[in-house]
Amino acid sequence: MIVVAAGSGSRLGRPEPKAFAPLRDRIVLEHALAGVAGMRTPVEVVVVAPESHLAAARAAAPGATVVPGGPTRQDSVARGLAALSAPVRIVLVHDAARALTPSALFDRVVEAVREHGEGVVPGLAVADSLKRVAPDGAIDGTVDRTGLAAAQTPQGFPRGVLERAYAAAERVETDDAALVAAIGHPVRLVPGEALAFKITTPVDLSRATEILGGAQRTGVGVDAHALEPGTPLWLGGVPWPDAPAGLAGHSDGDVACHALVDALLSAAGLGDIGSRFGTEDPRYAGASGATFVREAVALLAGEGWRVLGASVEVIANAPRIGPRRAEIEAVLSALVGAPVTVSGTTSDGLGLTGEGRGVAAVATALLARA
Ligand code: CTP
Ligand code: MG
């Protein structure tokens, strides 16, 4: 198996070569290799990488042979071919850029090469109408789609056939099947897979991200603290100097901020305020709610998450949120770097909050991949 990953990805337009671009939790090359690793039969893998990214390719492909690529895809495949070990009889050539290719397609191609002893190309029927266009933009005609297929990878070949095709190559072709056909060797089609699409442009990368899921996540947080007469009250990141009681707790007891922090952390799968900041940690003794919110947002950013928005509801008889809603929303929004809305309710005289013994808050947050 030769996985070619040595292209620059000029049409994708990212700073790193395309196979090393982040795609959700891993790089493009790692996703491609996960498809290979899921094959029924284990295979020898040669990864062809850009000279500048040989170490990164080795890290992404433990157990694979990594060799530097050449100026064209064809050069890169040739270098991969030269690095295969002697016993290999069937060679698959695969674009790392087809990062979501299902393992079943690799198996299908291997089986077809075994069965027919010929070159095998996975392909899909062409969906769009095809037009022949003159240089001035005039349409000269419509190409009949019957019998046409869009070729994908992995393409599979008996090793000797592929080596002969490469040795005889006289010009640069767009794929390996074309080189094999050029030496007169038969190549046949097997059904391709929609998921084997090639990541070429930024839209393709967004599509792959969406297919993998997890592009957006929601989280929820809840907190409650007892009211303590004589303690200064902090709620929603602002002080309430006229309040007769404040909230008990190791920190400033700001339940609105704490619920918000839990919502942010849970959305990112980063646990909760207790496990992240340690309520017993002396560093956080008396810490303001704002401190926790700021640190949670920084943690999220470090994991590649961006906050799209959050919402907090305070459950209390007093203080009334309404008169200071705009102020609290401005403070929390500035801390989070995204719109945070705030609301308030009572619990109809029931429970901790209704009996005026404490204050609670519930929050939700929505995150997106940065
Ligand atoms: N490839 C390669 N060596 C090259 C050129 C391409 O190994 N000199 C690989 C790419 O890494 C990719 C596959 O061939 O996995 C298909 O090529 P393509 O999608 O065209 O990738 P790039 O050439 O990197 O992208 P672009 O054409 O947009 O620059
Ligand atoms: Mg290219």
Side-chain angles (χ1 to χ4, degrees), residues 4-12 18 70-73 76 95-97 198:
V4 280
S8 64
S10 53
R11 285 167 290 178
L12 190 60
K18 183 159 71 180
T72 67
R73 181 184 183 280
S76 295
D95 295 333
K198 187 156 69 77

Side-chain angles (χ1 to χ4, degrees), residues 350-363:
L350 300 171
L352 172 85
T353 58
E355 290 161 11
R357 291 185 288 121
V359 175
V362 180

Side-chain angles (χ1 to χ4, degrees), residues 143-248:
V143 180
D144 183 4
R145 283 188 314 214
T146 5
L148 287 186
Q152 302 180 319
T153 74
Q155 299 186 352
F157 309 90
R159 179 177 183 164
V161 170
L162 190 61
E163 283 175 342
R164 260 183 284 135
Y166 267 82
E170 278 173 1
R171 57 194 197 101
V172 177
E173 296 282 1
T174 52
D175 68 359
D176 310 289
L179 285 177
V180 167
I183 60 162
H185 196 88
V187 181
R188 64 172 47 237
L189 193 87
V190 295
E193 293 280 348
L195 284 174
F197 71 92
K198 187 156 69 77
I199 297 172
T200 304
T201 63
V203 172
D204 298 324
L205 191 62
S206 306
R207 189 172 149 219
T209 305
E210 258 162 51
I211 290 169
L212 286 167
Q216 290 192 353
R217 298 240 201 113
T218 63
V220 65
V222 177
D223 195 28
H225 281 297
L227 279 165
E228 210 168 54
T231 306
L233 178 67
W234 281 83
L235 188 62
V238 299
W240 299 75
D242 301 333
L247 293 166

